[in-house]
Amino acid sequence: MSRSKKKGPYIDVRLAAKVEKGASSGNREPIKTWARDCTIHPDFVGVTFLVHNGKSFLKVYVTEDMVGHKLGEFSPTRIFKGHSGGKAKAATAGPPGK
């Protein structure tokens, strides 16, 4: 369910302040954050974030297409390692037919 239009998008105040401070000083270093639920604002375009995924920090470079999405959408928390069976069973079973 999305957030109320009356309230507007959720933007972490401390994160927005860090982006503004970095823009005014010309600092291009990535900003480390745990705020995965923060909505990407147009002021964030061109900034690199280190978004925590529960284990490590992943680099996320913000582009115009990302505006309106959440930071956490670009830092996956789960790693898909494939389904069991199928090709793995076929490789160990030997030649087909007998």
Side-chain angles (χ1 to χ4, degrees):
M1 188 153 83
S2 63
R3 187 171 160 96
S4 169
K5 287 188 179 187
K6 179 178 74 173
K7 292 181 185 179
Y10 171 71
I11 299 172
D12 190 20
V13 178
R14 288 174 280 175
L15 187 60
K18 287 180 184 181
V19 170
E20 188 176 318
K21 182 181 174 185
S24 63
S25 68
N27 190 1
R28 302 292 293 170
E29 288 189 27
I31 299 171
K32 189 182 267 192
T33 183
W34 283 263
R36 297 174 53 84
D37 58 343
C38 178
T39 304
I40 297 174
H41 193 264
D43 294 341
F44 295 179
V45 173
V47 178
T48 303
F49 292 98
L50 292 173
V51 183
H52 197 253
N53 71 350
K55 183 176 180 181
S56 61
F57 290 91
L58 299 179
K59 273 191 177 181
V60 176
Y61 179 76
V62 178
T63 61
E64 289 183 21
D65 296 335
M66 297 179 180
V67 173
H69 292 271
K70 306 283 186 175
L71 278 174
E73 292 181 46
F74 305 102
S75 178
T77 57
R78 296 181 176 102
I79 300 170
F80 178 71
K81 295 184 179 177
H83 296 291
S84 62
K87 293 180 183 177
K89 285 184 182 177
T92 59
K98 287 194 175 185

